[in-house]
């Protein structure tokens, strides 16, 4: 018959092994969860980048297929202002500017949330003169208050030369 001290030691030894196996299971589960989170994060980043590309391509397609907006853009580059256009033309130009600013705002938010790299904006910048001229100045003055202040400041710094 085993002595009382031996029974207690056997029990403690078994209990220690059970606790060790339990800790191993917990650690294994944590590693699995970490790998799943990492994989999910990569998938979300990939989907976000694809959505940015899709939005940019949609806007390019809209511009390429829209004779009116191309004609109006040429007039704006040549110095035309809001008063030089009809109400319908002004709506079309405003829609074009809103679409572009909102696309950039979306990229800004994705960068801030860590879903896309900081250089993502530079990959999807509009033409160098897109935000120049009196027409855009008037649009920006009216539109800026509707934007999140941190984005508006970023936009002015990055796209409007700090104005």
């Amino acid at each position: 018959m085993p002595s009382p001290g031996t029974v207690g030691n056997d029990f403690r030894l078994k209990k220690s092994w059970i606790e060790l196996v339990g800790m191993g299971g917990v650690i294994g589960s944590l590693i699995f969860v970490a790998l799943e989170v990492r994989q999910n994060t990569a998938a979300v980043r990939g989907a976000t980048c694809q959505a940015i590309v899709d939005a940019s391509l949609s806007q390019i397609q809209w511009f390429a297929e829209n004779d009116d907006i191309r004609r109006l853009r040429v007039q704006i580059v040549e110095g035309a202002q809001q008063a030089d256009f009809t109400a319908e033309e002004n709506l079309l130009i405003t829609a074009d500017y809103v679409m572009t600013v909102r696309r950039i705002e979306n990229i800004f938010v994705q960068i801030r949330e860590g879903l896309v790299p900081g250089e993502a904006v530079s990959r999807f910048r509009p033409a160098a003169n897109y935000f120049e001229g009196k027409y855009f100045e008037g649009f920006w003055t009216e539109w800026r208050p509707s934007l999140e202040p941190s984005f508006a400041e970023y936009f002015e710094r990055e796209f409007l030369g700090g104005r």
Side-chain angles (χ1 to χ4, degrees):
M1 188 159 145
S3 69
T6 307
V7 171
N9 286 338
D10 287 346
F11 176 74
R12 280 189 289 258
L13 183 61
K14 286 179 184 177
K15 182 180 174 191
S16 294
W17 276 104
I18 291 170
E19 288 175 354
L20 187 61
V21 169
M23 279 193 278
V26 169
I27 290 170
S29 295
L30 290 173
I31 290 170
F32 175 77
V33 168
L35 292 173
E36 287 294 311
V37 167
R38 188 174 182 185
Q39 185 177 18
N40 186 47
T41 300
V44 168
R45 284 185 176 146
T48 301
C49 287
Q50 186 61 51
I52 291 169
V53 169
D54 290 346
S56 183
L57 292 175
S58 291
Q59 188 174 5
I60 290 167
Q61 184 177 7
W62 179 78
F63 184 80
E65 293 174 352
N66 193 322
D67 294 336
D68 290 333
I69 196 65
R70 289 194 314 274
R71 177 182 52 78
L72 298 172
R73 289 290 315 141
V74 168
Q75 289 178 266
I76 290 169
V77 168
E78 292 174 347
Q81 297 181 38
Q82 197 170 14
D84 299 320
F85 299 105
T86 66
E88 183 179 343
E89 290 170 331
N90 279 311
L91 283 173
L92 192 57
I93 295 165
T94 298
D96 185 52
Y97 280 136
V98 168
M99 185 172 20
T100 302
V101 171
R102 287 295 188 195
R103 185 174 51 83
I104 293 168
E105 181 182 30
N106 178 267
I107 297 169
F108 170 81
V109 170
Q110 303 307 328
I111 291 169
R112 185 180 63 202
E113 297 300 319
L115 294 172
V116 296
E119 65 271 7
V121 170
S122 64
R123 291 187 217 146
F124 300 101
R125 287 183 89 91
N129 63 354
Y130 187 81
F131 299 119
E132 292 178 4
K134 294 289 183 190
Y135 196 107
F136 186 80
E137 285 179 24
F139 165 82
W140 184 247
T141 300
E142 291 177 22
W143 188 254
R144 188 188 194 285
S146 68
L147 299 169
E148 177 184 322
S150 64
F151 170 69
E153 292 165 11
Y154 165 81
F155 186 87
E156 289 170 340
R157 185 177 62 251
E158 294 296 317
F159 293 91
L160 304 181
R163 59 176 156 147

